[in-house]
Amino acid sequence: MPLIVSYEEAARVVRHEAERAMAQARPEERVPLLQAVGRVLAEPILADRDQPPFARSTRDGFACRAVDLEKGNLRIAGLLAAGQSWTGGVLNPGEAVEIMTGAAVPPGADCVAMVEHVTVEDGRVQLNGQHGPASGENIVPAGAEARRGDAIIPEGRRLGPAEIAAAAACGAASVPVFARPRVAIVSTGDELVDVAQAPLAHQIRNSNSYSLAAQVTAVGGEPELFPIVRDDAAETEAAIRRAMECDLLLMTGGVSMGRFDYVEPALLEAGAAFLFTGVRMQPGKPVVFGRLGERHFFGLPGNPISTLVTFALFVAPMVRALGGEREVAARFRMARLEEDVAVKAGLTRFLPAHLQSDVQGAGVRRLPWQGSGDLTAAARANAFLVVGETRETMDKGEIVSVLEL
């Protein structure tokens, strides 16, 4: 029986199944730190010492006691650069040490006067009319960022440049990461030929397998492309059996209501439990989702933009969850609409759009397209404008939701 749901309900169902997948044990491996970029951390990275390990100056200037600087000029007792150790003991009253950004503040000093706020003459330093720094100003205390043993990066975080830097600061030359989930990609249809083959007049190249493989890779999965499946019930059933050796099955095409759409009957024959068989959205209305034993499957529409959108909305969260990631939801942002938009109500629409942003904020403009088979529009778009199911118009200047790919 068809189970057609709203976009919100479909997203909730996928989220629930993704959370179930998060709770399952998954294989791990240890890799060198730079090979971990884009991978998901399997164990937290712990601070191997206090961070910072010493009171650190945040400015070039003079380390001293705030109360002494307010009273008058101070004798310069030395110079301290980043990486140097102060050997002069506790700073005496009436003394200051010239210090560079990142250097360890000598004991006895409780502030750093910025170099542009002081005057230096004859080996002494004093304020040049500026208000003096308060106690603690321009100093990061030892352990203020983290204490030894604190979790610096939590399990389940995808490792980007900031996380790699934090791991390196903790001495993590190698890190434990989750194995990438294997994602089977099966495209169906008599009209398809391989990308390297010259199509006849009634044929098209199999672009969906390649777009899906790229999206799978981008969200941390390992794509496995299967041969094109013809519009044949037995061939479709055999392909499903082979593909279920992977962690997730993606099938494109054959999920609509045509006489030669065999994907849903083949999944039923294999014992599939369908969680939904369509979503009130455009593009992507025929998308199918369910379980086959302990594994999940998606039947994605064959039109290229439908495939791109349904992957970003539904498949990406599942791939992230199977890879151990904790932040799995589809990626949306808010932007200012740059022109009026009018559509028919009744479906949640995801319209090809161009998103641009600067320090003032983000703006989005709808792009012209010829429907969900328009690959040219997909290539021009860098986002999809979201129009809610009950909306018919959105006005220029309105703050709207945008799906990021």
Side-chain angles (χ1 to χ4, degrees):
M1 178 181 295
L3 181 58
I4 312 298
V5 299
S6 68
Y7 162 70
E8 289 77 10
E9 176 64 11
R12 187 196 66 77
V13 169
V14 171
R15 176 72 189 196
H16 174 75
E17 295 300 307
E19 289 173 350
R20 291 180 67 239
M22 288 180 206
Q24 298 172 1
R26 55 188 53 82
E28 303 175 13
E29 58 183 333
R30 182 170 285 272
V31 300
L33 183 58
L34 283 181
Q35 292 182 20
V37 178
R39 302 293 296 273
V40 178
L41 194 63
E43 299 173 16
I45 299 294
L46 306 181
D48 64 336
R49 59 177 183 166
D50 289 352
Q51 293 189 9
F54 48 80
R56 183 182 70 228
S57 175
T58 64
R59 297 287 190 274
D60 294 335
F62 291 84
C64 59
R65 292 179 174 84
V67 64
D68 289 348
L69 189 62
E70 289 289 349
K71 291 178 180 178
N73 60 20
L74 307 177
R75 184 180 72 85
I76 300 173
L79 172 66
L80 192 56
Q84 292 181 339
S85 177
W86 176 250
T87 59
V90 177
L91 203 64
N92 293 316
E95 291 183 336
V97 172
E98 187 174 3
I99 192 168
M100 304 297 112
T101 300
V105 176
D110 66 0
C111 72
V112 172
M114 295 168 60
V115 66
E116 53 264 45
H117 292 172
V118 298
T119 299
V120 178
E121 187 176 352
D122 297 329
R124 303 188 73 85
V125 60
Q126 63 181 356
L127 290 169
N128 61 10
Q130 301 284 340
H131 180 71
S135 179
E137 193 168 339
N138 300 325
I139 295 175
V140 178
E145 298 166 356
R147 291 294 184 182
R148 179 179 180 180
D150 286 351
I152 301 299
I153 312 172
E155 173 193 341
R157 175 72 60 82
R158 188 172 298 280
L159 298 175
E163 290 82 5
I164 294 295
C170 294
S174 64
V175 293
V177 294
F178 290 116
R180 294 186 179 95
R182 296 167 56 215
V183 181
I185 298 173
V186 180
S187 290
T188 70
D190 287 342
E191 74 279 14
L192 299 179
V193 298
D194 188 70
V195 65
Q197 184 177 339
L200 299 176
H202 60 283
Q203 295 175 322
I204 58 174
R205 292 188 176 93
N206 177 22
S207 63
N208 279 347
S209 287
Y210 289 86
S211 68
L212 285 173
Q215 287 181 290
V216 166
T217 301
V219 296
E222 187 174 297
E224 296 195 18
L225 274 64
F226 283 67
I228 295 169
V229 174
R230 300 302 159 197
D231 289 325
D232 176 84
E235 189 173 340
T236 304
E237 291 171 17
I240 290 171
R241 287 194 296 270
R242 292 193 303 271
M244 288 313 295
E245 296 176 0
C246 294
D247 300 300
L248 179 66
L249 167 60
L250 306 183
M251 302 192 74
T252 66
V255 296
S256 295
M257 301 297 290
R259 290 177 57 192
F260 300 102
D261 292 332
Y262 294 106
V263 169
E264 288 189 36
L267 287 166
L268 281 171
E269 184 66 25
F274 288 88
L275 299 175
F276 56 76
T277 58
V279 179
R280 294 194 299 274
M281 59 181 282
Q282 183 205 29
K285 185 177 180 180
V287 61
V288 171
F289 176 54
R291 289 192 297 265
L292 192 53
E294 293 300 314
R295 289 174 168 78
H296 291 86
F297 65 85
F298 286 92
L300 305 179
N303 282 327
I305 295 185
S306 298
T307 303
L308 285 168
V309 169
T310 51
F311 186 100
L313 292 172
F314 305 125
V315 183
M318 185 58 66
V319 176
R320 293 185 184 111
L322 290 169
E325 197 168 353
R326 293 295 180 261
E327 298 177 5
V328 303
R331 308 311 199 217
F332 292 93
R333 65 181 299 181
M334 306 307 290
R336 187 176 302 279
L337 189 60
E338 295 182 349
E339 61 184 4
D340 294 342
V341 171
V343 298
K344 291 182 179 180
L347 300 173
T348 300
R349 300 182 190 273
F350 299 87
L351 307 177
H354 183 260
L355 177 71
Q356 58 183 14
S357 60
D358 56 28
V359 71
Q360 301 299 323
V364 63
R365 179 181 296 273
R366 178 182 180 180
L367 295 177
W369 68 315
Q370 303 303 316
S372 55
D374 189 349
L375 266 177
T376 303
R380 290 196 305 264
N382 63 359
F384 286 84
L385 172 64
V386 183
V387 184
E389 184 173 336
T390 61
R391 297 293 300 269
E392 292 186 338
T393 61
M394 295 196 304
D395 299 329
K396 179 180 178 180
E398 188 175 340
I399 301 302
V400 297
S401 181
V402 178
L403 171 67
E404 294 189 298
L405 296 181

